[in-house]
Amino acid sequence: MRPRLLLVSALLCAATVVVAHAGAAPPEGAAANLKRNGRSPHVNYMTECQGCHMPDGRGIGGSVPSMKGELYRFLDVKGGRAFLIQVPGSANSKLSDADLAALINWLVPKMGGPAEGGFKAYTPEEVAAYRAKRMVDVVGTRAALIASFPAVAPKTN
């Protein structure tokens, strides 16, 4: 019985490693994953994001930050564009670079930012480049970016 249990455990560990690496970012300079999953950005948000950020983007007090009315502000500070892609939920998402770019481009206006076309849209190539560079201190990086926000939020469309 023990050899069978060991075999099952080994297979489960191997499967976990394969699954973990399947969503890994491409090495620096690698081509962007342009394959789309056929779902709308809204459906991708529902399946990949709203479990933690809630349907309306309000997050979970004390553990998951709200995106509502704040997300677009990251686009106007140095390092903010990269941050939105490098946070673990984005960087480690199973979404392709093309689907993640489409999701963020949909999400910015949806969460109270400038209307679609009112900001520089992410490209799949840009997403791939940001994903290739892992963020080490998410909480500290977020706090530093927020501290650099202008005192008065920019007006949205």
Side-chain angles (χ1 to χ4, degrees):
M1 185 73 164
R2 256 181 216 252
R4 189 178 298 188
L5 181 60
L6 288 173
L7 176 62
V8 169
S9 295
L11 289 173
L12 284 174
C13 287
T16 301
V17 168
V18 168
V19 169
H21 288 305
E28 198 159 348
N33 180 349
L34 301 177
K35 186 175 180 184
R36 298 291 306 266
N37 63 17
R39 299 184 306 205
S40 71
H42 185 211
V43 171
N44 283 331
Y45 178 80
M46 290 189 303
T47 60
E48 302 297 321
C49 311
Q50 87 174 16
C52 296
H53 286 286
M54 303 287 111
D56 63 355
R58 66 180 143 79
I60 300 170
S63 60
V64 179
S66 173
M67 293 188 287
K68 216 171 173 157
E70 295 294 319
L71 189 66
Y72 75 99
R73 298 189 74 193
F74 285 94
L75 297 176
D76 292 328
V77 297
K78 184 177 178 167
R81 280 184 73 81
F83 176 80
L84 294 182
I85 303 303
Q86 292 171 332
V87 293
S90 294
N92 299 326
S93 160
K94 66 182 177 186
L95 294 175
S96 70
D97 299 324
D99 281 321
L100 183 56
L103 172 61
I104 299 293
N105 293 337
W106 170 82
L107 196 56
V108 168
K110 182 73 175 167
M111 291 298 140
E116 194 172 334
F119 64 97
K120 181 183 172 206
Y122 285 89
T123 65
E125 294 78 14
E126 180 183 20
V127 168
Y130 288 144
R131 274 181 151 174
K133 298 173 186 166
R134 296 292 183 202
M135 185 184 319
V136 177
D137 180 11
V138 177
V139 174
T141 301
R142 184 176 188 277
L145 290 169
I146 290 172
S148 70
F149 285 174
V152 176
K155 294 186 179 194
T156 60
N157 294 343

